[in-house]
Amino acid sequence: MIARFSSLKAFFTYTFLLLFLVSFGQKIPEGNYVKVVEGFDWGSAVTKVILPLNEEQRTFDHSNVQVVAERQSECFPQNATGLKGERSILFSFISDNKGNRVDKGNHVTLVMAVGPDLSIGSPMQYFVGCGGTKWVNYNLIITDQSSGQVWDQEHDSISPIVDQFDLDGTFTYKDRQPLTYAAYKPTIAASEKSPLIIWLHGSGEGGTDTTVPLLANKAANYASEEIQSIFGGAFVLVPQCQGAWMHNERGISTWGEENDVYNESLLALIKDFVNKNPKIDENRIYVGGCSNGGYMSLKLMLLDPDYFAAAYVSALAYKSKFLTDEEIERIANNSIWFIHSADDPATVADETVIPVYDRLIRAGAKDVHLSLYEHVVDLYGFYGGKDYRYNGHLSWIYSHSNHAAKVIDGKYTSVMEWMSGRRK
């Protein structure tokens, strides 16, 4: 039946209510669940699950609820263990269908324990020899043992920050291999143009699924409220290559001894993105990355040292012995902040960041900094526990969390605060 309206105001009121109900009031189907995926220092995890209830409630007792997770992938070896197990529920609250807390509603959100050693909580896995980090089939069976109610069909998956990115960017330079990218546009209203933060992934996050570099090591955090507020709103660009940034034409990592196959395409992608987004401040373009991405950040500066206002480089994978004195002098006037761990087993500090930093200082660099940590630790003392140590290669944790800091010009300054003030 087509409704008749006595006034234009009534029509718009009805339309708004209808759209509101469709968008926000729609109940998750019975027996279905929505999982919430978030990025952490160690990788991604399913942190919450949203369930529909038979009727509106104000409270929910989860003491008799069991959550069993199963992870499946053709990349897992046949003798793999720990692929099925029970998830620990920390607490629950009545919510809407998006997991927002409400006083009374017909959904409940279960909050589950996560941590670097709780692999059963992760919907991703790094596979050696099987394409790096990939999503796995992550299935849940949630049972209310007091009522017999079961939720075992996934209805949707939510990633709070990642869902704000455009995930479908593609770019092809000449006849080169296409690059994919994720992009975020600032929501903070800027009176002037906004800066651009570029993040380049490590070797494990290559491919064509742009959610992987955003979630596999928390790179989406550059779109977080905390970091966005430092810049007064910033665009975020996360390019992705199908292999590794350091690969030469034979698909072998170069460490800087010969040219890689991606740097020209990547620089063209960045400039194309800037040209298509006139709200970007071309005097405030910042490039950073970890490991392979750290190598490529330095490579881009060597390729066009006048284009970037600053670089923030974690776990640098460019060996000093492959940088000529001329190349060191070419970037000595640039603003660069290196972040590394002394116990990094993959990009050994004595071969990479320490001699590169020392050579830049000797070449007269005035705005080059090094945060050299002894170890990479759990900053919160919670997820891994007190004094928990990650692999020393994961120094990008200190970048994503904006932890790296030092006294500059008499003021204690974090890496993101420092970068926000750099202009070319």
Side-chain angles (χ1 to χ4, degrees):
M1 179 182 293
I2 300 176
R4 295 183 182 272
F5 301 94
S6 58
S7 69
L8 190 61
K9 180 179 179 182
F11 170 78
F12 282 115
T13 301
Y14 176 86
T15 303
F16 173 80
L17 288 173
L18 182 61
L19 289 172
F20 178 85
L21 289 170
V22 170
S23 301
F24 301 101
Q26 196 173 48
K27 187 178 178 181
I28 299 169
E30 185 177 350
N32 284 226
Y33 62 85
V34 171
K35 69 176 190 285
V36 179
V37 181
E38 297 180 73
F40 293 87
D41 291 341
W42 67 86
S44 65
V46 177
T47 57
K48 305 180 185 75
V49 61
I50 307 164
L51 311 174
L53 300 173
N54 292 329
E55 57 185 15
E56 281 195 329
Q57 296 181 203
R58 292 187 180 274
T59 61
F60 183 84
D61 181 6
H62 66 261
S63 60
N64 290 313
V65 175
Q66 181 188 55
V67 179
V68 175
E70 184 172 10
R71 304 165 75 231
Q72 298 174 335
S73 172
E74 59 184 14
C75 291
F76 281 122
Q78 291 186 349
N79 60 347
T81 59
L83 302 184
K84 185 175 182 179
E86 189 170 346
R87 298 291 308 273
S88 175
I89 303 172
L90 299 177
F91 61 93
S92 61
F93 56 87
I94 298 299
S95 70
D96 62 15
N97 63 340
K98 301 294 184 182
N100 300 305
R101 188 186 293 268
V102 296
D103 292 333
K104 184 179 181 181
N106 53 13
H107 295 85
V108 63
T109 295
L110 309 180
V111 181
M112 298 175 290
V114 298
D117 296 324
L118 295 176
S119 59
I120 194 63
S122 179
M124 287 182 175
Q125 180 74 29
Y126 176 72
F127 295 103
V128 177
C130 196
T133 302
K134 293 178 176 289
W135 288 95
V136 300
N137 293 323
Y138 193 89
N139 303 305
L140 295 170
I141 299 177
I142 304 103
T143 306
D144 187 338
Q145 296 173 327
S146 60
S147 67
Q149 189 171 4
V150 176
W151 300 265
D152 59 2
Q153 298 295 317
E154 181 177 322
H155 176 69
D156 197 7
S157 180
I158 299 173
S159 295
I161 298 182
V162 172
D163 290 344
Q164 298 178 47
F165 280 77
D166 176 359
L167 303 170
D168 300 320
T170 60
F171 179 80
T172 302
Y173 178 68
K174 297 182 178 178
D175 58 348
R176 309 287 178 85
Q177 190 181 69
L179 300 176
T180 47
Y181 63 89
Y184 170 87
K185 294 185 178 181
T187 57
I188 299 175
S191 57
E192 301 177 355
K193 293 186 176 183
S194 300
L196 169 63
I197 302 171
I198 302 162
W199 175 258
L200 305 176
H201 62 77
S203 63
E205 293 80 56
T208 57
D209 184 342
T210 56
T211 62
V212 172
L214 290 174
L215 281 167
N217 55 30
K218 204 179 177 181
N221 208 47
Y222 296 106
S224 69
E225 223 175 279
E226 176 194 358
I227 291 181
Q228 285 288 306
S229 65
I230 293 172
F231 292 86
F235 288 80
V236 181
L237 177 65
V238 183
Q240 183 185 37
C241 66
Q242 293 187 33
W245 297 117
M246 293 166 63
H247 280 174
N248 60 19
E249 291 181 351
R250 303 183 303 282
I252 299 172
S253 292
T254 71
W255 293 92
E257 70 266 32
E258 59 181 301
N259 199 25
D260 62 83
V261 295
Y262 290 114
N263 61 78
E264 291 183 5
S265 297
L266 178 57
L267 187 59
L269 182 159
I270 293 167
K271 291 183 176 181
D272 180 75
F273 182 80
V274 171
N275 289 337
K276 289 178 178 176
N277 290 276
K279 288 287 188 179
I280 292 176
D281 184 349
E282 295 188 31
N283 292 312
R284 299 179 70 197
I285 298 175
Y286 312 116
V287 62
C290 63
S291 192
N292 257 251
Y295 155 89
M296 183 55 78
S297 300
L298 209 63
K299 185 72 174 185
L300 291 179
M301 280 206 147
L302 289 167
L303 193 64
D304 194 344
D306 296 326
Y307 189 74
F308 300 98
Y312 59 114
V313 178
S314 305
L316 176 65
Y318 209 126
K319 290 188 176 180
S320 176
K321 66 181 180 180
F322 298 127
L323 283 165
T324 66
D325 290 341
E326 181 186 3
E327 287 174 324
I328 289 290
E329 291 175 2
R330 190 184 306 167
I331 59 173
N333 291 326
N334 288 93
S335 298
I336 308 172
W337 193 312
F338 295 104
I339 301 170
H340 215 100
S341 182
D343 63 348
D344 189 328
T347 55
V348 179
D350 286 335
E351 299 176 357
T352 57
V353 71
I354 292 175
V356 169
Y357 172 77
D358 288 344
R359 290 173 68 191
L360 285 166
I361 296 300
R362 288 198 300 270
K366 302 299 183 185
D367 198 21
V368 173
H369 309 278
L370 171 60
S371 292
L372 184 63
Y373 293 84
E374 290 186 19
H375 310 286
V376 181
V377 301
D378 176 17
L379 294 172
Y380 314 99
F382 175 75
Y383 292 112
K386 184 181 179 182
D387 300 324
Y388 182 92
R389 291 184 186 177
Y390 294 101
N391 182 296
H393 190 46
L394 275 65
S395 56
W396 50 84
I397 285 174
Y398 297 121
S399 175
H400 296 338
S401 63
N402 193 30
H403 183 274
K406 63 182 295 188
V407 176
I408 300 176
D409 297 329
K411 180 182 178 182
Y412 192 71
T413 306
S414 71
V415 60
M416 292 295 125
E417 291 169 334
W418 164 85
M419 197 163 74
S420 69
R422 266 55 205 166
R423 289 164 174 79
K424 65 177 185 180

